Amino acid sequence: MPDSDRQVTVVVADDHPVFREGITRGLQQSGRITVVAEAEDGEAALAAIREHRPDVALIDYRIPELDGIGVIHAVVRDRLPTRTLLLSATTDSAVVYKAIEEGASGYLAKDAKRSDIVHAVLKVASGRQVVAEDLTGGLVEEIRMRADRGSVILSEREQQVLRGFAKGQSIPQLAAELYLGASTVKTHAQRLYEKLGVSDRAAAVAEGMRHGLLE
């Protein structure tokens, strides 16, 4: 954790030169931060992190060659001391969740104020987690949704359809076995897919096994 009386070192990675230079200038002007390297793609960012071992890496999510989450994954995998802060135009809650899950110390939208970016970098350098306030609601909802998936409750018909899929049965075969119309079986299958968060039979079986719904 950086001492409060020394400069926080940062690598800035973004493929848009004007934006990258603006961020770098804003960080440097804070008087608390030294940008030790800039990178225009993920591979270069990772190389700079390995070389300089900065306190923080400020990374664009959609950076080419190796995206921001890929860089974060490599930093965690290689046990590098750098803490990572993702800066992105993407505010999709699933992406924010994935970044935090992979080990990011923070996530900010690209339209954040320069002062907010500076404060976020300093917080992350001190060991704190930072997620932009306008993104936290979506992140909480994403966590709730994923938690709900962990306790899937199927109707009797949905369970029968799932077991049939596990045995390799088709919709017509299940319809004949259950004395139902094919359209009715398709409706139960669609509800099954929605509850498991999948879109086909193979994925439904895999998720069913993961949730302990198949013996």
Side-chain angles (χ1 to χ4, degrees):
M1 183 184 300
D3 298 326
S4 59
D5 60 348
R6 78 170 179 85
Q7 292 283 296
V8 170
T9 55
V10 178
V11 164
V12 176
D14 194 288
D15 60 327
H16 293 91
V18 174
F19 184 83
R20 186 176 69 244
E21 291 165 9
I23 291 294
T24 296
R25 185 163 52 251
L27 294 176
Q28 300 271 41
Q29 289 175 347
S30 72
R32 297 280 313 279
I33 299 167
T34 298
V35 176
V36 295
E38 296 181 31
E40 61 182 13
D41 64 61
E43 294 288 356
L46 190 54
I49 292 168
R50 285 174 173 149
E51 177 184 355
H52 297 282
R53 295 184 173 252
D55 298 311
V56 179
L58 184 62
I59 312 164
D60 178 24
Y61 166 58
R62 293 194 180 279
I63 199 166
E65 301 298 333
L66 182 66
D67 69 17
I69 291 180
V71 175
I72 292 165
H73 178 79
V75 168
V76 173
R77 179 197 64 207
D78 298 344
R79 298 183 179 181
L80 299 173
T82 300
R83 295 174 65 82
T84 50
L85 176 60
L86 215 58
L87 186 64
S88 177
T90 301
T91 57
D92 187 299
S93 58
V95 175
V96 180
Y97 181 94
K98 180 64 174 176
I100 301 301
E101 182 181 48
E102 285 289 344
S105 295
Y107 196 109
L108 294 179
K110 266 194 169 181
D111 59 1
K113 296 178 181 178
R114 294 289 163 83
S115 59
D116 290 338
I117 295 174
V118 168
H119 292 151
V121 167
L122 294 174
K123 286 181 180 179
V124 166
S126 70
R128 298 166 66 183
Q129 292 281 132
V130 177
V131 175
E133 186 174 346
D134 56 344
L135 300 180
T136 56
L139 179 58
V140 169
E141 185 59 32
E142 184 72 17
I143 292 170
R144 285 175 178 165
M145 182 180 69
R146 288 170 184 258
D148 289 342
R149 287 180 185 171
S151 55
V152 176
I153 299 175
L154 302 181
S155 69
E156 182 179 351
R157 288 300 191 192
E158 290 160 358
Q159 290 173 342
Q160 290 171 333
V161 170
L162 179 60
R163 287 196 293 268
F165 286 165
K167 291 187 292 186
Q169 291 178 302
S170 65
I171 294 290
Q173 288 172 328
L174 275 167
E177 181 178 297
L178 299 174
Y179 300 101
L180 297 172
S183 61
T184 301
V185 174
K186 286 181 180 178
T187 297
H188 289 307
Q190 187 57 46
R191 288 174 181 166
L192 171 68
Y193 294 162
E194 291 173 358
K195 287 184 178 181
L196 294 177
V198 300
S199 59
D200 58 54
R201 287 185 291 173
V205 172
E207 279 296 294
M209 293 178 66
R210 190 173 73 82
H211 288 289
L213 300 172
L214 290 166
E215 295 180 356

